[in-house]
């Protein structure tokens, strides 16, 4: 049978559903801990659920961004091989719960996330914990730049969107390190949406065509930046990042790992190529997806699948028999 240039990408259509099963499992396993103040227990249960399903998927995955690296977990660590080992080779980024504190407190926007790209295309930025990021939708491509003052970026994007500056909304993690940034956003005439956690959801919400926010900025996790980049490629949006080492020791650690300090990483630097998948299931309710809900004999989940090759965002709603999860 003659193959075409498109043929190698076809399996992604099927593997996406398999990855959804893994994020659903992680989200469902976290349910007993939502709002219970036990973020480590929630994370451990989600890790177990995700890993169990990933082990059944026909692909050869290597964890580039892993749970163990961030949270000292014994599974889904950087360098771990996941899947059956049969099929195509991929880089994998996993976060069984992006927003463990949100989950523990019962607050919005906690997600279970998997991102994937072809082997060797995903930047391993794990040696530097934080990254300064700028994310917008397609209107920001070639318009905004992380090196510019935030007020100028807001004005440039507002012009590209055809919106008054006073209707612009910018998402920022609510942290002491962002006090000056938040002040500058407001002084520019825009509004802020302060996030307690969950900057993956914040970045994706800023890039969606029907978003309530226009831009997501500020310092968040480096691993989350790579994960977000996989989703932004499917949405046709804009993402830039600069590593933000906390001290000289971490800065040197990043340099020793081959990372570039004081460098602006563009989307293709974060994740090369145009064959990325991003899958997320809601743990708690949020703008992107609804959280897990149990009612009677069923557990209900909502997930999204973003695929850069086709430029699609699909929603998957699932009803799960509780008896199958006990």
């Amino acid at each position: 049978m003659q193959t075409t240039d498109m043929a190698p990408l076809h399996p992604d259509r099927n593997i996406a559903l398999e990855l959804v099963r893994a994020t659903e499992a992680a989200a469902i396993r976290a349910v007993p801990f939502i709002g219970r103040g036990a973020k480590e227990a929630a994370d451990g249960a989600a890790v177990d659920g995700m890993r169990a399903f990933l082990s059944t998927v026909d692909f050869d995955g290597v964890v580039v961004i892993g749970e163990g690296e961030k949270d000292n977990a014994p599974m889904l660590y950087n360098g771990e091989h996941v899947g059956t080992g049969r099929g195509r080779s991929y880089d994998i980024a996993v976060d069984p719960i992006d927003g463990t504190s949100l989950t523990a407190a019962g607050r919005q926007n906690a997600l279970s996330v998997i991102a994937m790209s072809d082997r060797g295309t995903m930047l391993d930025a794990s040696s530097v914990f934080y990254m300064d990021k700028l994310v917008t939708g397609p209107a920001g491509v070639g318009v905004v730049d992380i090196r510019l003052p935030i007020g100028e970026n807001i004005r440039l994007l507002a012009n590209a969107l055809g919106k008054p500056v006073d209707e612009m909304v910018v998402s920022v993690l609510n942290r002491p390190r962002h006090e000056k940034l938040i002040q500058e956003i407001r002084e520019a005439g825009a509004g802020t949406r302060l996030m307690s956690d969950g900057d993956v959801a914040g970045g994706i919400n800023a890039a969606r065509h029907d978003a309530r926010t226009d831009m997501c900025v500020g310092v968040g996790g480096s691993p989350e930046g790579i994960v977000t980049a996989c989703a932004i490629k499917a949405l046709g949006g804009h993402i830039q990042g600069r590593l933000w080492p906390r001290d000289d020791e971490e800065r040197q650690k990043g340099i020793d790992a081959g990372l570039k300090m004081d460098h602006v990483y563009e989307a293709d630097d974060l994740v090369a190529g145009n064959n990325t998948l991003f899958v997320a299931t809601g743990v708690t309710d949020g703008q992107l997806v609804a959280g897990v809900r149990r009612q009677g004999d069923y557990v209900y989940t909502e997930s999204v699948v973003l695929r850069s090759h086709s430029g699609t965002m699909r929603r998957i709603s699932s009803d799960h028999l509780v008896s199958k999860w006990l």
Side-chain angles (χ1 to χ4, degrees):
M1 181 178 70
Q2 184 178 7
T3 60
T4 67
D5 291 339
M6 295 288 286
L9 297 175
H10 288 168
D12 286 354
R13 298 174 182 173
N14 298 323
I15 206 170
L17 186 57
E18 296 300 307
L19 297 182
V20 168
R21 293 172 65 235
T23 56
E24 286 175 344
I28 291 171
R29 292 300 187 194
V31 168
F33 306 99
I34 295 174
R36 303 301 176 93
K39 69 176 187 178
E40 291 182 1
D43 199 49
V47 169
D48 289 342
M50 177 175 285
R51 191 173 186 270
F53 272 83
L54 280 178
S55 67
T56 68
V57 181
D58 282 335
F59 75 122
D60 177 20
V62 171
V63 178
V64 174
I65 297 169
E67 183 70 3
E69 187 71 18
K70 297 195 296 90
D71 298 311
N72 298 315
M75 295 186 294
L76 296 179
Y77 54 83
N78 285 30
E80 181 177 358
H81 282 257
V82 293
T84 64
R86 299 187 295 270
R88 293 187 63 184
S89 299
Y90 294 100
D91 287 344
I92 304 291
V94 299
D95 200 344
I97 302 181
D98 176 45
T100 52
S101 296
L102 298 175
T103 302
R107 296 198 299 266
Q108 291 191 338
N109 288 322
L111 301 171
S112 177
V113 174
I114 297 174
M116 186 173 77
S117 63
D118 291 327
R119 178 68 53 81
T121 59
M122 192 177 287
L123 179 70
D124 179 2
S126 58
S127 56
V128 178
F129 193 83
Y130 287 117
M131 179 184 289
D132 187 17
K133 289 164 275 190
L134 168 63
V135 184
T136 76
V141 177
V143 174
V144 298
D145 193 297
I146 198 170
R147 288 162 285 216
L148 296 175
I150 185 62
E152 186 172 350
N153 275 326
I154 290 170
R155 288 186 289 272
L156 288 169
L157 185 59
N159 184 64
L161 291 169
K163 294 175 63 171
V165 168
D166 63 6
E167 292 183 8
M168 297 288 288
V169 179
V170 182
S171 292
V172 191
L173 281 171
N174 191 13
R175 299 287 187 274
R177 62 178 177 265
H178 289 148
E179 286 181 4
K180 185 171 184 283
L181 176 61
I182 291 167
Q183 180 182 349
E184 290 173 346
I185 292 168
R186 292 170 177 170
E187 287 176 349
T192 55
R193 175 159 289 166
L194 302 184
M195 305 178 292
S196 56
D197 279 294
D199 60 338
V200 171
I204 295 171
N205 285 330
R208 291 164 50 200
H209 71 278
D210 56 350
R212 298 177 187 175
T213 54
D214 304 291
M215 185 186 299
C216 185
V217 297
V219 176
S222 294
E224 286 80 358
I226 311 303
V227 170
T228 303
C230 289
I232 299 307
K233 285 206 160 192
L235 295 169
H238 170 88
I239 182 169
Q240 291 173 306
R242 290 184 294 201
L243 294 168
W244 199 78
R246 292 169 287 186
D247 50 39
D248 290 340
E249 181 180 354
E250 189 176 51
R251 182 183 183 88
Q252 188 58 51
K253 184 180 177 182
I255 292 171
D256 292 343
L259 298 174
K260 301 174 185 177
M261 303 299 122
D262 307 313
H263 172 77
V264 174
Y265 283 89
E266 305 288 345
D268 282 335
D269 300 319
L270 299 172
V271 185
N274 189 35
N275 191 32
T276 66
L277 274 174
F278 172 92
V279 175
T281 299
V283 178
T284 60
D285 286 338
Q287 290 184 49
L288 184 62
V289 284
V292 182
R293 177 171 58 91
R294 178 172 176 173
Q295 185 173 347
D297 293 333
Y298 288 89
V299 173
Y300 303 94
T301 60
E302 184 178 21
S303 307
V304 290
V305 177
L306 292 91
R307 183 169 179 254
S308 66
H309 181 66
S310 57
T312 51
M313 176 175 175
R314 291 184 170 89
R315 294 188 178 275
I316 299 175
S317 297
S318 303
D319 302 351
H320 311 262
L321 270 172
V322 171
S323 61
K324 298 296 183 180
W325 290 91
L326 297 179

